[in-house]
Amino acid sequence: MSLSPGDAPEGTQSISQSKTPTLLDDEESQPLEAPKFSPRRRRASIVDVGFFDPEGVDELEQSLRRQSRSARELTLDTASTDTVSTIGIKDGKPFDLERTLRKILHKREENDFKPRELGVVFRNLRVTGLGVSASYAKTLGSILNPVNYISSIQRLRHPPLRDILNGFEGVVRPGEMLLVLGRPGSGCSTFLKTLANRRQEYHAVEGDVHYDSLTPNELFRHYRGDVQYCPEDDIHFPSLTVEQTIKFAATTRTPRQRTGETRSEFVNWTTDVLTTVFGLRHARKTPVGDHLLRGVSGGEKKRVSIAESLAARSCIGAWDNSTRGLDSSTALEFVQAIRIATDTFRTTNMVSLYQAGEPLYKHFDKVCVIYEGKMAYFGPADQARQYFIGMGYEPANRQTTADFLVAVTDPDSRTPRSGVTRLPRTAEEFAQYFTDSDLGKQNRREIQDYMNEFVGKPERANAYRQSARKEVAKRANKRSPYLLSVSQQIVAVTRRRAQIVRGNMAMSIMALCSFIFQGLIVGSVFYDMPETTGAFFSRGGDLFYALLFCAFAAMAEIPTLFAQRPIVLRHQRGALYHPFTDALALTIVDIPIMFINITIFGILIYFLSGLQTSGGWFRAIASLFATDDWAQTFAGVSILAMTIYTGYTIPKPSIIGALRWITYINPTRYGFEAIMANEFRTLRGECTNLVPNGPGYENVSLVNQVCTTIGALPGELIVDGNRFLDLSFDFSYSNVWRDLGITIGFGAGFFAIYFLFTELNTTISRETSAVLFRRGNKKAPRSEDEETGATDEKAVLPETDKKDSKAALESEKPMSHVFSWQHLKYSVPIHGEADRKLLDDVSGYVAPGKLTALMGASGAGKTTLLNVLAQRTTIGVVAGDRFVNGQALPHDFQSQTGYVQQMDTHLPESTVREALLFSAKLRQPSSVPLREKEAYVEKCLQMCGLEEFADAIIGSLGVEQRKRTTIGVELAAKPKLLLFLDEPTSGLDSQSAWAIVAFLRSLADRGQAILCTIHQPSAELFQVFDRMLLLKKGGETVYFGDLGHNATAVIDYFERNGGRQCMPEENPAEYMLDVIGAGATATSEFDWHSIWKNSAEARRLEDEIEHIHSEGRKRPAVQATFTSDFATSWVYQVWELAKRNNTAYWRNPTYLVAKLSLNIFGGLFIGFTFWKAPFTQQGTQNKLFSIFMALVLSVPLSGQLQGQYIAKRSIYEVRERPSRTYGWTAFTTAHILIEMPWNFVGSLLLFLTWYWTVGYPSDRAGYTYLMIGIMYPMYYTTFALVIAAISPSIEIASLLFSTSFSFVLTFNGVVQPFNQLGWWKWMYRLSPYTYLIEGLLGQALGRQSIQCAAIEFVEVDPPSGATCSQYLDRYMSANGGYLTNPEATTACNFCSMSSVDTFLANSFNIYYDNHWRNFGIMIAFIVLNTFTIYVFYYLFRIRTGSLIPRFGKAKKASA
């Protein structure tokens, strides 16, 4: 049952040719004249609408029939109320979905609903981009070099420009599919983006581009949602299910006027149809997933992207290399899905594909071939092959049309026909040849016909506008590209945000637990504070600490906000919703969550009020910056400003005039004043520090005593809390309601900034697309990439390099060992279910000099088998035997093999040569001299064709060169036994894939044993292999054996056992996958596994394996090369890792500059805030808080270094650990050794900008630097790495660190003095910051005098007849203090503290004499942290199984 035009009987009109193009378009509009295209022969293949899920289509038909019957029963004799979900169904007749769709369209025509359609036409199209003027990677040195700033200014004034596309012309009509072909860098992505109206990233787009009668500017401003560009990566919220993802798109693009159904019914029906037609019905409740959350398969995720685009009801779709990573059967299903969408909904689709097989190619109407930014062909797809043959080029044997079309644009791959002399060879000549050809003239005629009929027609443009306006919701702006009003968008996005939270409850639960945990701790620390003056300081500390913890918790959101930005950006470009509505939805959904968290937190610490204004601020910071590092830096300085200028750490009267303005713009100051005033307004504190008191003063009258607390009055035992606040902080209860209003205003302002910049700043940090080289490299290769200005990914090596590569291969000694496996089975445990079998009775072997392909559909177990053979499984049970020469594997088998993973995982800052040399140094035996290793690396560079890129930065390389680098890294290890490769051609264009496979062929020809999984092989690639192991779903063998010439052996096997005949032009690889029923929805009538087990080929395989074993056992067993797990010593591993990490940091100036800037600006900010603090009581306390706030900087600094550690840990665990390159202890040690010096540098800058500005004495700077410049960074570095060692992601690490750091900070005796800690005094002694702060402050200020400020003096009246000195001398001898008028007889002007030591000891339990003890204790804490890093890494990352012992059936781990 097809919905294509070709199925319509003569005299009728099919779906894709009817006047109503889109099933899901339901607007009421002015009549819109349907395009009257000239009759043209349908060139593309037809795809049945039930292709993906025939059972689902049947079920949908039955559901529609039931709905129709119910509707008729309800309406009885009333007028027809048919909707899209009920019409066209009659009882007793077979249901026909195509007929139903036609009746739906007819019904909408009756209601005058004329949905829109768009084609695109372009002439003289030229796209200009910024050229690459510098080909060298940035380093910290280049960033700090002032000469580079001058050149940067010059480039800004006169930017270098280059043509990316030039001279393009063509038309793509509604209902047509265009295939875009070209080598990487030729301009395919730019072409798709330009036609999809994505022009912002280019310098200029010139020429005529028309979308029917609309201009690109009008389309972008008002109808942006009608054009979608889909990048090759499928970006979705991973915790949303398939149904939620599609339903959300349908909700945001639902038109206002429909055929009678409600919005909800329309959305549900749309979702049902799309999930059914695209075979997603079984996965509706499954999360989409990502690399951390298991979700749907790759092919299903592609179809989710298609369904989402269709649910958004776009008229034009551009799909950029969307089959990357899919096997040929799944890739075919993707293109078939696009074909269904094009035929059914009459959309316009443009698709770029790499390695497109012939069945894929046949689904396209037109093809565009791009050659270095020039249009080499644009026209009918079924005439393109003959066009280039007529030009004078010959396709290779069984070469697909798409591969042939790309090959003719590659001077090294095209084959001129014999006898043809005058051939176009350059891109300009190809473009001119097409312009002069008959097809070029036909293309221009079609362009002119389309322009005459559709372009510049005001009535069509007006009809389109009227149609669009009637889709927009009633209260929405009619000229907005968004269909929903802002309020409707907020409702939809808020519902989605709630679904995201429900899908990722772990983070919410962790946040709640952190608040409960910290609330319990803080509440118990400040438990039952007495109403005395001794608790005045503690009450302020309680409230201040609550604010500080909430700020830390808000900072932990920054990584999460950056992670979701690309998804929001894609939806904004698709006109689904305003980005600020997502920010608002996040806020709305967070309100109940944060209310619960803060309520529990507030109850536990006996307070709740005004503590969350900082949350909006840190979200605003995240929306301002493009990188996480700079956001953390700005957030770190912000948290200093917001906490220091509350008035608690430094009261307003103590702030210097030049910075006092910060107090007035700090919202937390007003909130803190309000909650402090509210707390102290009724507080009448009984004085606990009367002067004089003690021995000799037992019977003194209160008239002759005074309370030393600020605000006390002579002769009064009670201190008024209001007076205390007024004199200490300049706070007043009369300002409470004003402060509340200001706090609310600031909160609203922060969220407004957050919403504004979320809407405006939609940029994301990207890696450079230009190939960059190491500074100091003598020269960079010529730029050939049309799109990026980078060197072309398919760079052509000079003939001398090719000869060197061949000579290097020939010089290698061939291998002689045969690797075999028999009856392998592998199963993994599934919680609550029986074990799942992934491999079932698989046998085979890999011989030296043979290239063996491992093939099968997605989910057949190819990568699983490769991992089992390479001993890289960590869970499950492996059964069966693996041998080398028929004997047991050596214990260092992993070290003697190479494994090229599908993902090219490398340290992005390394060069190609450095990566290969690192592998050679650590994986070749230590007995091999370094010169020999270096020489072999140069040989590997020649073998891999990487000499031109030896000094290129890996992170900037193209796909092919990264893949070659991955292979080179494994070759540099000199694998003695075998080379495994997992999909080495995935994501490559056909020419790059051929280059990689040809290189593998040359390795095999020199005796290398190779086992390689491969996806989407063309017939050419397939013929390069010698043998093949073919698996079906469930990990069952279908075939193992020789391919034969032109794959005749394998074709003969399948035809002989019941398979259909392979056509002469058919790709054998696609043929056999089709025969065995590969693909997401395909099936086979034969059980090919049973056929294999009973075949002569299977018996011959067993005989061959036994022969290999018997012959191999006559020779000595392969000995282990290494006695330990690794080739080199631990010390050598650490040394090489440290050198590599140091280079990587130097080439990552963004990270280092952000780190150093945070220390500099933080130090300056703290230093000038506490500028030259005097030696008064308040000044001494200010110095204490200057140290305390300097320690707060460790929160953002730790967040930065945790991100670096987790990123490098991923590289180690994905590639280098399974390869036995080095040990996990060496990795951790090297990271600490390199991270620490940069933190030393940062702390030195902090010290220099902070120490003297605060006013500490110069003669005591040495010890202070030792503590703040050495001990402090060592402690926070190791503590941050302890948290990172147990965290699977940076988001969780941020949350855990903020909670843990707050816990450590609680017990240092600053916000709650030691004498007030009560039961928690034992934790005071366990907190490392206790000793850090005591060491810093005690040594810097101890053994010095205090001179009280005027407000700190108290007046005491001596008894009648006594002088001040006579009355107070005894007290001062015991407790300290001094008088300014000792001979007076009244109003003794008394300062209760004369020595800093007395003040620090009485108030904070800080002693000068303990400073060296504190230094030693800090060393002990650092050692403990370091030890804990290794313990936690082992427990959480190395040790397999649960940390909690489980009883019952034990699961046996694989060897």
Side-chain angles (χ1 to χ4, degrees), residues 437-619:
S437 69
D438 292 339
L439 285 173
K441 296 173 182 176
Q442 177 182 322
N443 182 44
R444 290 192 292 277
R445 284 196 301 270
E446 189 174 354
I447 292 172
Q448 192 60 50
D449 291 344
Y450 185 89
M451 301 223 11
N452 292 337
E453 193 168 358
F454 302 114
V455 177
K457 307 296 182 183
E459 65 279 3
R460 290 195 60 83
N462 290 332
Y464 192 95
R465 296 185 190 107
Q466 292 299 320
S467 171
R469 288 171 184 170
K470 290 196 174 183
E471 281 197 346
V472 179
K474 290 181 180 179
R475 286 177 290 276
N477 183 355
K478 302 303 181 184
R479 297 180 61 82
S480 169
Y482 305 100
L483 298 188
L484 302 185
S485 65
V486 171
S487 61
Q488 289 173 320
Q489 292 178 42
I490 292 172
V491 171
V493 178
T494 302
R495 185 187 304 114
R496 183 189 65 174
R497 179 58 59 178
Q499 293 168 345
I500 292 172
V501 171
R502 282 200 302 267
N504 188 20
M505 287 299 293
M507 284 294 292
S508 300
I509 293 173
M510 287 183 63
L512 176 61
C513 291
S514 71
F515 274 90
I516 294 175
F517 172 78
Q518 204 62 39
L520 289 170
I521 297 300
V522 176
S524 59
V525 166
F526 295 94
Y527 178 70
D528 198 19
M529 290 180 288
E531 293 188 2
T532 63
T533 58
F536 276 12
F537 184 81
S538 297
R539 289 179 184 274
D542 183 13
L543 306 180
F544 172 76
Y545 187 82
L547 184 148
L548 187 64
F549 173 71
C550 291
F552 287 158
M555 275 188 66
E557 293 184 356
I558 290 177
T560 303
L561 294 172
F562 272 95
Q564 71 177 28
R565 185 178 288 183
I567 306 173
V568 176
L569 171 61
R570 184 170 62 85
H571 288 170
Q572 182 253 356
R573 286 173 171 169
L576 270 64
Y577 54 86
H578 286 283
F580 85 86
T581 61
D582 182 73
L584 180 59
L586 178 61
T587 305
I588 294 172
V589 172
D590 269 358
I591 288 175
I593 297 174
M594 293 307 299
F595 179 79
I596 294 172
N597 293 347
I598 297 300
T599 299
I600 295 174
F601 183 66
I603 291 173
L604 292 173
I605 66 172
Y606 305 102
F607 188 80
L608 171 62
S609 177
L611 300 179
Q612 276 302 293
T613 56
S614 59
W617 174 241
F618 289 111
R619 290 180 181 178

Side-chain angles (χ1 to χ4, degrees), residues 191 209 211 322 382 458 540 573 575 609 620 632 634 678 734 875 898 1038 1098 1105 1137 1186 1199 1232 1250 1252 1257 1321 1444:
F191 181 64
V209 181
Y211 301 89
S322 294
D382 58 354
R573 286 173 171 169
S609 177
Q632 291 277 12
F634 193 80
N678 184 67
S734 62
I875 60 171
V1038 172
I1105 293 176
L1137 278 165
S1186 75
I1232 295 173
W1250 161 80
W1252 284 280
K1321 287 182 179 178
I1444 303 174

Side-chain angles (χ1 to χ4, degrees), residues 1299-1315:
T1299 303
S1300 304
F1301 179 80
S1302 303
F1303 178 71
V1304 171
L1305 210 59
T1306 304
F1307 301 101
N1308 57 33
V1310 175
V1311 292
Q1312 176 70 316
F1314 172 76
N1315 57 13

Side-chain angles (χ1 to χ4, degrees), residues 762-783:
T762 54
T763 58
I764 55 177
S765 177
R766 294 187 181 93
E767 295 181 352
T768 177
S769 56
V771 176
L772 303 177
F773 288 80
R774 174 181 61 84
R775 288 187 175 270
N777 184 42
K778 53 186 178 181
K779 68 174 184 176
R782 181 175 61 90
S783 175

Side-chain angles (χ1 to χ4, degrees), residues 640 644-645 659 1161-1171 1185-1193 1246 1249-1250 1253-1254:
L640 291 178
I644 290 176
Y645 286 87
L659 295 179
F1161 289 115
L1164 289 173
F1165 193 86
I1166 297 170
F1168 283 104
T1169 296
F1170 297 96
W1171 173 257
F1185 276 107
S1186 75
I1187 293 173
F1188 178 81
M1189 296 312 299
L1191 302 185
V1192 170
L1193 282 175
L1246 171 65
T1249 55
W1250 161 80
T1253 50
V1254 174

